[in-house]
Amino acid sequence: EGMLGGLPEPLHFRSGDADDLADKLLAFAASAPEARDEAGRELRRRVEQGHSVETWADGVVRIVRGLRS
C-alpha cells in the first residue's frame, strides 16, 4: 500500500491513467473536511518518519559503509 495506503479516502490511482487520478482527486476534494485533515496529518507523519534528517543520515552512513566493504 505504501505511502498512500490506509487513508480515510483512497488516493491510489492507476499509473498513466489521468482519468483515474482525476476521479480520486475529485473524490478527495468532495470528502469531509475532517477526513482531508486526518489524511493530511497522517501523510505528514509518514513523510517526517521516512524522510527525517536522521533517516537520511542513516542512509548515507549505510552507503559509505558499503563502499568500504
Side-chain angles (χ1 to χ4, degrees), residues 28-50:
F28 186 73
S31 66
E34 296 81 13
R36 293 193 307 269
D37 288 345
E38 180 183 343
R41 283 190 302 275
E42 177 58 19
L43 288 169
R44 181 180 183 94
R45 185 194 67 75
R46 292 177 189 185
V47 167
E48 288 173 344
Q49 181 180 16

Side-chain angles (χ1 to χ4, degrees), residues 4 7 9-14 17-32 36 43:
L4 298 178
L7 297 173
E9 285 291 325
L11 293 176
H12 282 222
F13 60 93
R14 291 183 296 276
D17 188 337
D19 290 333
D20 190 37
L21 172 59
D23 290 343
K24 296 299 187 292
L25 291 175
L26 288 171
F28 186 73
S31 66
R36 293 193 307 269
L43 288 169

